[in-house]
Amino acid sequence: MSLRSRSLLRRSCLSVPGSSERFIAKARDIAADMTFLDLEDSVAPSEKVAARAKVAGAIAAGGWDDRVLCVRVNAWDTALTFRDILEVVTGAGERLDEIMLPKVQSAAEVVATDLLLKQVEREAGLELGHIGLEVQIETTTGLINVEEICMASPRIETVVFGPADFAASMEMPVLTGGVEVPEYPGDHFHYVFSKILMAARAAGIQVIDGPYLKIADLEGLRSYAKRSAMLGYDGKWAIHPTQVEVLNDVYRPTQELFDKACDLLDAYAVATSDDARGAVMFGDEMIDEASRKMAMKFQARGEKAGMLRTPRG
Ligand code: GLV
Ligand code: MG
């Protein structure tokens, strides 16, 4: 288990094509919480083999501050996964936190990756369990098996929804994945978001929303990202640097809610200790132990994002 990155923030997860040395160099200066260098769908088939060394070399060369650093390999239904993992993990060295596995269909694929990583870590001289895993759910079979997948290895740090591949797998009548479908009354992905979220929380891992493909539409991104943020997702992919700032803002509590959570925790602490009561009034609402749990999560999330309580005037 990659202990370093497991609980780090992942509000914005920047996707960078592993075939482009220029984009990789630029990515070091973009303030994403997490960055992944891609060997999968943003890389042309003819460039995939050469991209392995570029990605490994860029990670070994350093300059990535303390963000989560990941490489997305190709899926197990290609002929590339084994060599992607071998070359990247042995070439990148200690700074690589995670491997992202796309189009995961079953827990067996995760177990196979875990076993392969054990041997590769030994070969690379890394501590056993150093490399964490991000698993992408983006097929119908993957969604059906999501609970087992999320529990399949202690290496798993996050589960990631892939709306574009998922729309293709579902044969949805859309040509852009991960955006609103105004003709549908409601959110066409609500069930999917909720199912993945529950599987993630039951497994104690983070949960990430995938790309928003209309890169020039930052207001559309903000509005769409709020859906998964309001459900409790930890972050979302950025497929262009301009998306990062919006996501860092959307996936953290508002100042008002952060302050309220801190006030609630204070009030509840006094009620339970000084007054020996389990439920008390807080403003116009009744709060109890469940309220404390909700507020604790909020406070922790805000503090990780560097938020400070507003001083009382
Ligand atoms: C991401 O990989 C997606 O398919 O949406
Ligand atoms: Mg995909």
Side-chain angles (χ1 to χ4, degrees), residues 40-41 72 102-103 136 138 162 164-165 237:
E40 205 222 14
D41 284 357
R72 179 167 72 164
K103 301 182 181 67
Q136 269 192 288
E138 42 185 356
D165 273 304
W237 278 15

Side-chain angles (χ1 to χ4, degrees), residues 146-157:
V146 66
E147 283 108 359
E148 279 171 41
I149 290 171
C150 288
M151 304 271 188
S153 163
R155 288 184 193 269
I156 299 180
E157 301 186 22

Side-chain angles (χ1 to χ4, degrees), residues 9 11 251-255 257-259 261-262 295-309:
L9 282 178
R11 293 166 303 172
Y251 291 89
R252 74 168 159 227
T254 60
Q255 187 67 45
L257 279 175
F258 179 73
D259 288 338
C262 297
M296 288 283 289
K297 300 272 177 196
F298 245 94
Q299 190 188 43
R301 200 178 270 216
E303 281 174 352
K304 269 207 244 168
M307 295 178 78
L308 295 173
R309 195 169 176 177

Side-chain angles (χ1 to χ4, degrees), residues 1 20 67 73 86 93 96 104 148 152 167 187 226 233 242 244 251 261 268 294 303:
M1 287 89 3
S20 166
R67 78 190 70 192
V73 297
L86 179 66
L96 177 66
V104 178
E148 279 171 41
D187 182 349
K226 276 187 187 158
Y233 273 56
T242 52
V244 167
Y251 291 89
Y268 191 65
M294 289 187 274
E303 281 174 352

Side-chain angles (χ1 to χ4, degrees), residues 36 118 152 184 200 213 242 267:
F36 70 94
K118 275 190 190 131
Y184 186 84
L213 297 159
T242 52

